[in-house]
Amino acid sequence: MGSMLERKNHDSLDQARERMLRHDLRGRDITDPEVLRVMAEVPREEFVPSEERWRAYGNGPLPIGEGQTISQPYIVALMTQVLRVNRDCEVLEVGTGSGYQTAVLARLAKRVFTIERSLDLSAAAQAVLKKLGIDNVEFRVGDGSCGWPEERTFDRIILTAAVPEFPQPLVAQLAEAGVIVAPVGQTSVQELVVAEKHHGKLIENHVCGCRFVRLIGQHGFFD
Ligand code: SAH
């Protein structure tokens, strides 16, 4: 049996999660019922350092170690919404980080393939997803800007770190009629861009301004 303090913390996290859904997601432009359902289900507090648990449902990014951050809930929901993921989708995610976005995608997709350049972050994310019983995810450690290290295509591709432009190997691994979303820009402020591939070409739409850590890699930024 949990202590009274644990019970109290649990209640306030539930309340904070409710507030996030009402105020930061539904209160803005997150309307997809499946996205809202999954944002309500995945416990964000599991993906942040223990001293940040109480802040897990605030609408801000949080540190996850190695100078990296877990994106604010609104941005995770927005990227998921514009990606239009369904049960038939195989999704490639570049930048596993804490694994929170991975978990959200895994609850909507057939399968998620996620690649992270930090071995430690990938290992921590794998442990959390295992604990949550999410088993439709494949993890790799490496430079995701070069694509998944096997020849294949994906229905959806998401980059959770900023790139100067859509990396060519990722565009090549996007299936026809597939969707790719990424923060694109040269500076510390980027545009969230979503694109659909038709006849081998990307049709782009700008979603909003955003601020992400940089993707470090061959088709990203230099270290
Ligand atoms: N979606 C994550 C946020 C991750 S922050 C979450 O929900 O927590 C961006 C991540 O991209 C960092 O973990 C960083 O290590 C990783 N990254 C940076 N460059 C990369 C590359 N070339 N390939 C794979 N991952 C990369």
Side-chain angles (χ1 to χ4, degrees):
M1 247 201 358
S3 70
M4 247 163 83
L5 189 63
E6 275 169 29
R7 182 69 243 161
K8 187 159 169 280
N9 286 341
H10 202 78
D11 286 347
S12 55
L13 277 177
D14 284 349
Q15 284 166 3
R17 189 192 287 124
E18 249 321 297
R19 185 180 185 283
M20 169 193 85
L21 287 162
R22 189 180 66 247
H23 187 266
D24 300 321
L25 305 185
R26 275 192 261 115
R28 296 180 72 179
D29 49 1
I30 307 303
T31 53
D32 186 324
E34 284 295 281
V35 173
L36 289 164
R37 176 179 64 80
V38 170
M39 293 296 292
E41 281 172 7
V42 178
R44 192 167 189 262
E45 65 274 20
E46 297 293 332
F47 296 87
V48 303
S50 51
E51 65 275 17
E52 306 284 356
R53 272 177 87 91
W54 66 281
R55 269 204 263 260
Y57 293 100
N59 199 36
L62 291 172
I64 55 171
E66 313 220 351
Q68 305 302 318
T69 52
I70 175 173
S71 300
Q72 64 184 104
Y74 171 71
I75 285 289
V76 172
L78 182 64
M79 288 178 93
T80 308
Q81 181 167 275
V82 298
L83 205 54
R84 304 202 313 272
V85 179
N86 61 55
R87 274 280 157 230
D88 299 326
C89 289
E90 295 196 308
V91 183
L92 172 62
E93 179 193 37
V94 177
T96 314
S98 68
Y100 178 63
Q101 173 81 72
T102 320
V104 167
L105 292 168
R107 300 297 303 254
L108 295 166
K110 179 158 82 181
R111 201 158 188 85
V112 178
F113 301 76
T114 186
I115 184 161
E116 166 58 52
R117 85 187 263 273
S118 155
L119 173 62
D120 289 354
L121 288 177
S122 180
Q126 290 183 46
V128 179
L129 266 72
K130 191 168 177 202
K131 180 179 167 190
L132 296 179
I134 297 174
D135 59 5
N136 57 335
V137 179
E138 275 190 45
F139 294 86
R140 290 287 160 83
V141 174
D143 178 3
S145 76
C146 297
W148 193 252
E150 281 150 34
E151 209 173 301
R152 52 155 305 153
T153 59
F154 300 91
D155 307 299
R156 302 288 185 267
I157 299 181
I158 177 170
L159 287 81
T160 67
V163 282
E165 57 186 14
F166 286 117
Q168 185 278 324
L170 294 176
V171 177
Q173 284 193 334
L174 184 63
E176 174 67 15
V179 183
I180 183 168
V181 64
V184 181
Q186 290 288 350
T187 63
S188 58
V189 181
Q190 306 95 28
E191 277 286 322
L192 194 61
V193 182
V194 60
E196 255 185 70
K197 190 171 177 180
H198 290 290
H199 309 292
K201 285 217 163 61
L202 290 186
I203 318 238
E204 296 186 4
N205 270 299
H206 289 238
V207 182
C208 61
C210 58
R211 192 182 281 262
F212 278 77
V213 297
R214 291 173 169 215
L215 182 136
I216 308 297
Q218 198 178 327
H219 300 268
F221 292 95
F222 293 112
D223 206 348

